[in-house]
Every structure is written in structure tokens, then in C-alpha cells.
Amino acid sequence: MDDGCWIKSVPVRASALAIAGLLAAPLAVACTGEAGDTQAVATSTVESRLFVTDNTEGFATRVSPFDTDAQNRAVLPDVEVSQAPEDPSSERFGAAGGTAIHGEHSDGRWRVCREERWQPRTNSGAARQADAVAPGAEAARRWSRDFFVGAVRTYRYDAAGRLLEARDVVSPDVLPQAGVAWLVPKSGLLYCARYDGQGRMTWSIDTAGVGRWDPGKVCADLSEDTVDSLRVTYNEDGSVLALLRTRPSSLPEGGVALMHPDGYSDAGWGGTATFLLPPRQGIDAADNTVSARIAEGRGIASLSTRRKDFAAYDAQPPYHERPQVEAQYNAKVYYDFPDADIPMSAARDGFADLADYPRVRSYVYDKGVRVEEVFAAGRHAPRQRVWRSRFALRQEDYDAAGKLQQVVHYGDEIPGGHAEDLAGAGRRAGFKQVLLTKGGSAYRVYRYDRNGRERLELACWSTMGGAGGVAEEAQCGGADGKVRAEGTAIEGLLRDTYGVSQRRLAYTPM
């Protein structure tokens, strides 16, 4: 059903909501029974509200997810009820069956305890058409001759009315496994939630697909080490700090699988986090968050956000000078922590202490061009900046005072990088060869003195070599013509002498 046709538990005075057929007789339903108990006896006034609908394919109730308001305050999960298309004229189901929703009044609100999906009996003897649970006496009298309870969804709350558990029970004759009817009804968890002493939700799960139909499984048995989980952390003022979605390493890779190349997937659990930044006027809530990759015992591995002023103290001129291209190319700024992951506590106060950690800030400069800036802990000027595109690289190295010391250029000129006059630089340095500007070995290294004067220290050229002297082979060296490396040894020279690596400094995909 369309999300626009779902409503949450509401005050009693507005509880009609196109749900008709109030049944006065109490049924065997309770909202506060023991975990997993689908036959609990009601301890308070219970109402049954009947949906007359032709749709018997799905439940008419569901758990609304945890959410936050405009001030980052928690909005606890609730049970939503699908609105019937129109008020039914009868308390009986139509030929296709229907749904009966049972609930109770609590603190002026009507909350859902149980939903029963009733399906029509057939004349076929192939199925026993056994009830998922035994219906109450009144329901049995009204409907059991023509219908059976195909499936039940139960909801359990704590004494304060907070949702703790949702569970499904399905008849053997509704969902046969591998073509063979079950002998007994299948029972399985659908949802679990936990709260702290202040009534704040701290953990929840959606167990669908994770040992779903284990009848002995209860919420107390589950944790982020065994199932996909949502953890919620809070600021000191009670506002939400972060939503942490995790997946244990024992489960197949999915939407929360980590992509770090250094064996990060070996962590006990890994996942993603959404950190809520302090509300700012004029900034949409969707753009006022920081996304992160996290793992057990490792902390935060990377960050990304659409907030253009995030960690503004790190923003360098190229970031402000980015061309105005399509939003998908330059909307986000990224942070990676390749040396050591940062603790979760670094997220406090909108990541105010981010500069205390070694970090790599990266962003898209232009379509196809990525900039990576390496910062030492406590510094706001990068010690290295790398421009990358598919066929080119420009690495800039700076001293502690922020002065440019070295530039290593590879391949074509990169948009946004400084224009290069390789031929002129080669003549001024005294190179006699025709220097390479394209291809896998087109490296050149520039050095800068304290006054910023540039000198081409290393460049590469091609020479005849190989079998019969007809194949070209790249050589690299200085203006004196001495060859310092050739062929496959070139990358080793660039790596060991000039600190060049094709390995990306940041791993967050863009």
C-alpha cells in the first residue's frame, strides 16, 4: 500500500479513521504479555476493529521506523495502521476475507495489540486450513465457519507504552515451505527494541531474513553480533547524536558492508552511521547530517556530508574555487582516516575536534577530477595535496610552514591543477631529450627553493630497446642524461625517492 495510506496510533477521539465495526466482546489479546506469547489473556479493555478488504496478501499494520524531529529529538517507533478505502457497511468479511485488528486504550490512545488475517475456507481437502492461533470465542462464532486465521501479527509494549516487539505467526496452510505444508504454525520475530532508564530507544532490529522463523528466538537473545541492528546514541541534552546501522561479519555482505581495502571486514560488526549535526536555520535536515563507515573496536573509518561549511577550518582555495558543475559531482566533502580510525566520541559538538586527528579531506573539483588533501593532527594546512583523474596525477608536497616543496606530475594536465610548460621547464633545466607527457611512464618531478623558484629535477623519455632494438622503452633521469631507472623500475624510484604512490589516499567512493 502507498505510504500515504498509513496512520500511526492516535488519540481515541480520532480513532475511527475509516476503521469500522467495533466489537465489544474481549478477545484473547494483550499488549503487555510475555515475549513471544501470542495467546496472552487481556488485562485491560480490548477493542476489535474490523477491516473489510479484498486484499489478503499483506498485513494492514506495520512498525513505523525510529525518527527524529526538526530539533533532533527522538520520535519513537509506533504501529501504523492502513486506512480502509471507505467505511464498510457490514461487520462481516467479504468473499476474499479480511483483517481484524485488536487493540486497547492506554493514556487516551488506542494502540494495536494484534492483527489477524482471515482467509476464506475452500472445499478442497488438500489443506487442513488450520488457524495460525486459536481465535477468541466471539471471533470463532462470527467467522470460523467460513474463514480461518491465516496469519497473525502481535505487538508487545512495556508498561510505559513503548513498543518492544512485533511477531508474526503463520498458518501451516498459508506459506508452505518447498511445496510441503507445515505441520504446525510458524512463529517468528519481526521487530525488537530496547530502551534506557530515561525511556530513550537505544537499540532495535528488523529480523526479516535473519533466522526469521525460529520459534524459540526472543528479543533478549539478539544483539548487533548476530543480526542487523540500529543503535541510537544521544547528546547530553537528550537530542539524538547518531543512528548506527550495523551488520555482523557472520552475515552475507549487504548494504552496510564495508569497502575498506585493509582487511576492515574482519571486524566483529561493521556498518554505517548517520550523525545529526546541530540544527541550523536555513539548512535542510537532510543536508545537516554526516554519514560514516564504522566497525566494532575500530571507530569511524570515513565521513561524508553535504554541509559545505563542514570543518571549514580545513577548506583550502581549490575547494572554494571549484567550478559550478552538476550537484552530483561536487556536492559532498569526504574525510578518511587511513592511519588510525577516530573514536565515536569525535562526533560530539558537530565534530568540533576533528582537527585533533590525522585525516584526508577529499572532494570532487570538477567532473572526473578528485582532490585529496592530507592533514597532520592539529594542522589546518595540508602537508600533501593530490589531484587525480583517470589518466593523470599531480602530487603536491608542502613543508610544515605550508610552502610548496615538490610536485610530481604524471600523465596529462589536470583541470584545476597548475598549467604545466614541460618543454620550457626541460629547456631551462638543460634536458636534451624529448620528454614524455603521455603514457604509463610520463613522470616528471619539480622541486622548489625557499623563494618558490621551480626546477625540473626528474623527467622521462623513450629510447629504442628490447628485441631487435625496435621496441620503445621508457627511461627516467636528470638533466645530465644519466638514467636513474627504466622500465618496470621507474615506479620503484618514484615511490622510494619521491614518495609517489598510485594508491589512493581516500577510499570513500564518490
Side-chain angles (χ1 to χ4, degrees), residues 21 44 99 178 318 389 451 467 503:
S44 59
T99 297
S389 69
N451 295 317
R503 183 173 182 261

Side-chain angles (χ1 to χ4, degrees), residues 110-130:
W110 185 80
R111 66 187 182 191
V112 176
C113 296
R114 185 164 93 177
E115 175 186 356
E116 298 170 351
R117 286 173 49 197
W118 289 76
Q119 298 183 225
R121 297 188 183 278
T122 66
N123 295 324
S124 171
R128 297 183 299 118
Q129 297 170 344

Side-chain angles (χ1 to χ4, degrees), residues 39 116-122 124-135 144 146-152 169-176 181-186:
Q39 302 285 0
E116 298 170 351
R117 286 173 49 197
W118 289 76
Q119 298 183 225
R121 297 188 183 278
T122 66
S124 171
R128 297 183 299 118
Q129 297 170 344
D131 291 321
V133 300
S144 291
D146 301 313
F147 304 91
F148 71 100
V149 183
V152 170
V169 185
V170 181
S171 166
D173 303 307
V174 173
L175 295 175
W182 300 329
L183 298 178
V184 296
K186 285 281 189 177

Side-chain angles (χ1 to χ4, degrees), residues 259-261 293 301-305 318-319 322-323 325 328-338 359-374 384-396 408-410 412-418 501-510:
M259 297 173 286
H260 206 286
R293 292 184 298 128
S302 66
L303 305 171
S304 66
T305 181
Y319 179 74
R322 293 180 298 171
V325 295
Q328 66 265 32
Y329 294 121
N330 70 347
K332 289 186 177 182
V333 62
Y334 302 81
Y335 275 87
D336 286 79
F337 310 97
R359 59 208 182 277
V360 178
R361 177 183 171 105
S362 58
Y363 47 90
V364 172
Y365 179 86
D366 200 352
K367 185 176 180 180
V369 179
R370 177 184 182 125
V371 176
E372 302 166 353
E373 296 169 335
V374 182
Q384 186 178 84
R385 177 180 294 119
V386 180
W387 304 71
R388 296 183 189 274
S389 69
R390 185 177 179 183
F391 300 110
L393 175 143
R394 174 186 169 91
Q395 176 178 308
E396 304 166 359
V408 180
H409 205 130
Y410 164 80
D412 300 334
E413 182 176 325
I414 295 180
H418 300 294
S501 174
Q502 295 286 2
R503 183 173 182 261
R504 283 172 51 184
L505 304 175
Y507 302 101
T508 305
M510 292 186 179

Side-chain angles (χ1 to χ4, degrees), residues 215-249:
K217 183 170 291 185
V218 296
C219 289
D221 298 334
L222 305 178
S223 72
E224 55 203 352
D225 293 326
T226 56
V227 292
D228 289 352
S229 301
L230 169 66
R231 281 198 297 132
V232 185
T233 61
Y234 296 85
N235 294 301
E236 292 182 1
D237 65 357
S239 61
V240 175
L241 170 64
L243 308 178
L244 315 177
R245 294 175 174 85
T246 62
R247 162 158 288 191
S249 58

Side-chain angles (χ1 to χ4, degrees), residues 199-224:
R200 304 177 304 188
M201 197 192 85
T202 57
W203 178 85
S204 71
I205 61 164
D206 175 354
T207 62
V210 186
R212 171 98 157 85
W213 296 110
D214 181 352
K217 183 170 291 185
V218 296
C219 289
D221 298 334
L222 305 178
S223 72
E224 55 203 352

Side-chain angles (χ1 to χ4, degrees), residues 58-379:
F59 284 98
T61 62
R62 68 181 183 184
V63 177
S64 66
F66 177 89
D67 202 357
T68 56
D69 63 17
Q71 299 303 315
N72 294 346
R73 297 288 170 177
V75 178
L76 296 181
D78 201 352
V79 178
E80 295 179 329
V81 181
S82 174
Q83 291 179 273
E86 59 184 22
D87 287 348
S89 57
S90 169
E91 293 182 0
R92 293 190 57 80
F93 297 125
T99 297
I101 298 176
H102 312 294
E104 66 183 14
H105 289 160
S106 176
D107 297 327
R109 299 178 69 86
W110 185 80
R111 66 187 182 191
V112 176
C113 296
R114 185 164 93 177
E115 175 186 356
E116 298 170 351
R117 286 173 49 197
W118 289 76
Q119 298 183 225
R121 297 188 183 278
T122 66
N123 295 324
S124 171
R128 297 183 299 118
Q129 297 170 344
D131 291 321
V133 300
E138 177 68 11
R141 183 184 67 79
R142 286 172 176 265
W143 305 319
S144 291
R145 184 172 66 90
D146 301 313
F147 304 91
F148 71 100
V149 183
V152 170
R153 176 165 292 174
T154 62
Y155 298 97
R156 189 170 64 89
Y157 304 81
D158 65 14
R162 294 179 290 260
L163 182 64
L164 293 176
E165 175 189 290
R167 180 180 291 269
D168 287 347
V169 185
V170 181
S171 166
D173 303 307
V174 173
L175 295 175
Q177 190 175 34
V180 179
W182 300 329
L183 298 178
V184 296
K186 285 281 189 177
S187 173
L189 283 172
L190 178 69
Y191 180 81
C192 297
R194 294 175 188 153
Y195 304 85
D196 65 13
Q198 300 179 55
R200 304 177 304 188
M201 197 192 85
T202 57
W203 178 85
S204 71
I205 61 164
D206 175 354
T207 62
V210 186
R212 171 98 157 85
W213 296 110
D214 181 352
K217 183 170 291 185
V218 296
C219 289
D221 298 334
L222 305 178
S223 72
E224 55 203 352
D225 293 326
T226 56
V227 292
D228 289 352
S229 301
L230 169 66
R231 281 198 297 132
V232 185
T233 61
Y234 296 85
N235 294 301
E236 292 182 1
D237 65 357
S239 61
V240 175
L241 170 64
L243 308 178
L244 315 177
R245 294 175 174 85
T246 62
R247 162 158 288 191
S249 58
S250 59
L251 296 182
E253 291 186 356
V256 297
L258 293 169
M259 297 173 286
H260 206 286
D262 64 352
Y264 212 76
S265 59
D266 293 335
W269 50 255
T272 61
T274 301
F275 294 96
L276 278 58
L277 297 175
R280 287 266 304 271
Q281 187 174 3
I283 297 180
D284 186 75
D287 294 331
N288 201 37
T289 61
V290 174
S291 300
R293 292 184 298 128
I294 57 175
E296 181 184 26
R298 300 286 299 267
I300 300 173
S302 66
L303 305 171
S304 66
T305 181
R306 294 183 180 273
R307 272 282 295 268
K308 294 182 179 180
D309 60 347
F310 179 76
Y313 46 72
D314 281 344
Q316 304 299 309
Y319 179 74
H320 296 298
E321 296 165 0
R322 293 180 298 171
Q324 296 300 310
V325 295
E326 295 93 331
Q328 66 265 32
Y329 294 121
N330 70 347
K332 289 186 177 182
V333 62
Y334 302 81
Y335 275 87
D336 286 79
F337 310 97
D339 294 337
D341 304 322
I342 66 174
M344 300 293 285
S345 58
R348 299 287 179 186
D349 300 321
F351 290 89
D353 298 327
L354 187 63
D356 291 347
Y357 305 93
R359 59 208 182 277
V360 178
R361 177 183 171 105
S362 58
Y363 47 90
V364 172
Y365 179 86
D366 200 352
K367 185 176 180 180
V369 179
R370 177 184 182 125
V371 176
E372 302 166 353
E373 296 169 335
V374 182
F375 293 85
R379 304 293 301 236

